[in-house]
């Protein structure tokens, strides 16, 4: 029971009431215990949070999307060629607009997950096809860092029950991190195999690895080992926090390990549908 109650000094409080009946050995009601917990501040915090996310979503995201769209049109040369300096500035504006939009989307995603408002659209997905698609989608990004993406070996033809868009989001995050932290000319390898009644996907890079002092925080919010480097290469520090929650929502788990010979392997495991091993594709 949530009831608004005026306090003696006139201030309205909202209390959450729990009423417990007291019953004796003969099952006769001899009284009730009523306990009230003041939740006024909690409700106010929830209201402010809701207002904040709504501002992020409508007041910031909507106009930003249209700014980026316009810049993209200008940058394709659709309205004539800009001189070199203007073209460079327009590109910088588009890239930074996109970074801002990524940050807003990440904050909104985390909020949606944490408040239990993210609903997954699960379907049977051919994992090997999704992995190949993820390589195609992220190739241009990796090329910006001079990094090559490849499949280490042919992935097993297995179906997983997952949300396609969210699984792709996890892949994109892991691949873009691997590319971002790889040395120029480096290589990022994707692989998948059956493991512990599930299927395990691994993204391996030959980057600097995860610093020891950072390891316990890596899946936390706004966690970045080297903020100067991330400022140069882009990133919000929210990607892995979102990946962890998404993989867990899909019934799996995520972790990382040092790669033999240097670099990092990020892995996640999803339950495989044994009955759904397929021979498509
Ligand atoms: P970001 O948007 O900063 O990449 P993430 O949550 O995806 O945020 O990653 C958090 C931090 O973890 C990164 O800033 C980086 O310090 C570290 N990290 C993630 N992936 C790798 C990787 N493959 N190699 C080295 N460090 C990594």
């Amino acid at each position: 029971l949530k009831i608004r109650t005026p306090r003696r000094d006139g201030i309205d409080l909202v209390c959450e009431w729990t009423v417990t009946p007291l019953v004796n050995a003969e099952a006769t009601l001899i009284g009730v215990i009523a306990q009230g917990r003041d939740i006024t501040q909690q409700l106010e915090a929830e209201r402010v949070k809701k207002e904040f996310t709504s501002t992020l979503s409508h007041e910031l995201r909507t106009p930003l999307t249209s700014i980026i769209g316009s810049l993209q049109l200008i940058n394709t040369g659709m309205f004539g060629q800009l001189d070199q300096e203007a073209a460079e500035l327009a590109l910088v504006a588009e890239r930074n607009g996109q970074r801002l939009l990524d940050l807003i989307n990440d904050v909104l995603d985390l909020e949606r997950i944490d408040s239990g408002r993210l609903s997954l659209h699960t379907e049977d997905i051919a994992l090997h096809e999704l992995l190949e698609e993820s390589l195609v989608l992220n190739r241009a990004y990796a090329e910006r860092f001079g990094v090559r993406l490849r499949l280490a070996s042919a992935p097993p033809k297995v179906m997983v029950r997952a949300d396609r868009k969210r699984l792709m989001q996890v892949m994109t995050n892991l691949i873009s991190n691997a590319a971002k932290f790889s040395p120029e000319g480096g290589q990022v390898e994707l692989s998948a195999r059956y493991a512990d009644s599930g299927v395990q996907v691994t993204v391996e890079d030959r980057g600097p690895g995860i610093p020891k002092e950072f390891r316990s925080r890596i899946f936390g919010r706004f966690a970045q080992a080297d903020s100067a480097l991330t400022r140069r290469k882009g990133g919000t520090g929210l990607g892995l926090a979102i990946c962890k929650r998404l993989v867990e929502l899909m019934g799996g788990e995520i972790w990382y390990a040092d790669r033999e010979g240097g670099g990092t392997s990020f892995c996640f495991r999803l339950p495989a549908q044994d009955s759904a091993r397929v021979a498509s594709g």
Side-chain angles (χ1 to χ4, degrees):
L1 278 181
K2 277 183 201 156
I3 300 176
R4 187 173 289 278
T5 330
R7 211 165 57 181
R8 229 177 276 162
D9 58 10
I11 292 175
D12 263 0
L13 294 183
V14 181
C15 288
E16 193 173 53
W17 290 93
T18 322
V19 183
T20 318
L22 274 181
V23 180
N24 67 9
E26 285 79 47
T28 314
L29 184 70
I30 53 171
V32 286
I33 299 174
Q35 279 176 307
R37 194 167 65 90
D38 178 3
I39 56 163
T40 321
Q41 278 183 352
Q42 181 189 327
L43 289 180
E44 176 60 11
E46 278 165 19
R47 191 192 60 76
V48 170
K49 200 166 156 193
K50 226 182 248 161
E51 199 175 279
F52 172 68
T53 42
S54 149
T55 306
L56 267 190
S57 178
H58 303 295
E59 264 66 58
L60 281 176
R61 188 164 61 168
T62 310
L64 189 55
T65 308
S66 102
I67 292 170
I68 295 171
S70 311
L71 286 166
Q72 278 169 340
L73 282 180
I74 292 170
N75 290 337
T76 56
M78 202 173 184
F79 304 110
Q81 291 304 319
L82 299 176
D83 66 46
Q84 198 191 345
E85 216 169 322
E88 274 168 22
L89 285 175
L91 263 182
V92 170
E94 182 193 329
R95 204 170 300 147
N96 281 297
Q98 191 59 53
R99 279 173 75 169
L100 197 50
L101 187 61
D102 289 345
L103 175 63
I104 294 172
N105 284 336
D106 280 356
V107 170
L108 287 172
D109 268 353
L110 258 185
E111 207 282 320
R112 227 175 279 141
I113 297 170
D114 287 350
S115 62
R117 284 190 301 111
L118 184 95
S119 39
L120 292 183
H121 303 287
T122 37
E123 53 178 317
D124 289 334
I125 297 167
L127 184 72
H128 57 290
E129 286 173 9
L130 187 132
L131 292 188
E132 276 159 20
E133 219 176 291
S134 72
L135 285 186
V136 175
L137 282 179
N138 288 289
R139 192 152 281 144
Y141 179 83
E143 276 167 8
R144 270 177 36 200
F145 300 100
V147 172
R148 210 162 70 87
L149 305 179
R150 62 181 287 268
L151 272 173
S153 55
K157 291 183 172 167
V158 59
M159 298 295 277
V160 290
R161 217 169 152 70
D163 180 312
R164 178 179 295 278
K165 182 175 152 212
R166 298 299 174 177
L167 187 52
M168 188 58 90
Q169 185 175 358
V170 171
M171 287 308 303
T172 297
N173 253 308
L174 297 184
I175 296 174
S176 55
N177 275 352
K180 205 162 63 177
F181 295 103
S182 285
E184 208 181 324
Q187 185 166 283
V188 169
E189 283 180 333
L190 245 70
S191 58
R193 63 180 178 89
Y194 289 107
D196 298 341
S197 75
V199 56
Q200 178 180 322
V201 176
T202 304
V203 179
E204 287 189 322
D205 65 62
R206 291 167 170 73
I210 314 292
K212 281 215 163 44
E213 65 285 359
F214 181 63
R215 295 183 171 212
S216 60
R217 287 188 292 131
I218 191 160
F219 288 107
R221 292 152 172 255
F222 297 108
Q224 295 179 321
D226 179 346
S227 52
L229 185 124
T230 328
R231 216 167 297 130
R232 250 186 303 124
K233 300 209 173 190
T236 62
L238 291 172
L240 287 176
I242 293 173
C243 284
K244 182 170 160 54
R245 286 163 169 84
L246 288 178
V247 169
E248 286 172 357
L249 276 176
M250 291 188 269
E253 52 180 338
I254 187 169
W255 69 97
Y256 66 90
D258 291 333
R259 178 183 166 276
E260 249 174 70
T264 315
S265 304
F266 273 88
C267 314
F268 65 87
R269 188 164 40 229
L270 289 177
Q273 310 234 309
D274 226 32
S275 58
R277 287 187 187 197
V278 287
S280 83

